[in-house]
């Protein structure tokens, strides 16, 4: 990232942040083995790139809205939190930086898979066997990037 965008800082949001031993930060139930991490998107505003900025104070739950094939369901970790959306900062994804980060991750042999909502995959023009949709019952991935490292 620094070669293409000098001074860019990639922010890690969660890489097993338990409130209590063995109990992860909800809804991140898979972040318990040291192989998963969440990264913040890169954001900009009308004046340009905003280093280290996130739309919400913790980097989560400020969703990039787009079409979804997921039906409403009672038992799910796919929280929409519509009541919170107007509260977040007026920033938009820096598509060039975020796309480049995803390209770097997908090209890295240590990365097994990356979760990102399909509407963002399309918007960023990305295709890869490593780039996946996490499913309709898991946490949304249109407020952050989830990566999983390979074993070995």
């Amino acid at each position: 990232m620094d070669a293409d965008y000098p001074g860019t800082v990639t922010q890690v949001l969660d890489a097993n942040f338990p409130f209590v031993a063995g109990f992860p930060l909800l809804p991140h139930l898979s972040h318990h083995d040291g192989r998963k991490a969440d990264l913040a998107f890169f954001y900009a505003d009308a004046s340009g790139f905003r280093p280290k900025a996130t739309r919400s104070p913790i980097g989560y739950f400020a969703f990039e809205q787009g079409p979804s094939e997921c039906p409403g369901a009672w038992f799910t970790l796919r929280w929409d939190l519509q009541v919170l959306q107007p509260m977040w900062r007026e920033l938009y994804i820096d598509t060039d930086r975020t796309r480049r980060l995803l390209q770097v991750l997908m090209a890295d042999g240590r990365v097994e898979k990356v979760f990102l909502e399909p509407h963002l995959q399309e918007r960023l023009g990305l295709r890869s066997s490593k780039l996946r949709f996490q499913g309709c019952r898991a946490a949304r991935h249109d407020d952050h990037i989830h990566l999983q490292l390979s074993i070995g």
Side-chain angles (χ1 to χ4, degrees), residues 64-70 78 117-120 122 140 142:
E64 296 296 318
Q65 300 301 320
S68 173
E69 300 292 323
C70 293
R78 186 179 178 81
E117 291 290 320
H119 72 90
L120 287 177
E122 182 72 27
R140 290 176 63 156
D142 54 0

Side-chain angles (χ1 to χ4, degrees), residues 81-142:
L81 303 175
Q82 290 299 323
V83 70
L84 298 179
Q85 300 314 300
M87 298 170 57
W88 306 136
R89 296 168 64 186
E90 291 292 326
L91 298 172
Y92 58 89
I93 290 178
D94 183 319
T95 55
D96 292 337
R97 275 181 172 74
T98 302
R99 180 184 304 110
R100 184 66 187 132
L101 173 61
L102 286 158
Q103 289 168 336
V104 167
L105 292 172
M106 292 180 300
D108 191 317
R110 298 169 295 180
V111 175
E112 181 179 330
K113 57 185 154 186
V114 176
F115 290 155
L116 188 68
E117 291 290 320
H119 72 90
L120 287 177
Q121 295 177 32
E122 182 72 27
R123 183 166 135 193
L124 295 171
L126 295 169
R127 300 278 183 274
S128 169
S129 61
K130 291 183 180 183
L131 192 57
R132 315 263 178 88
F133 173 53
Q134 72 286 344
C136 291
R137 294 208 178 267
R140 290 176 63 156
H141 290 89
D142 54 0

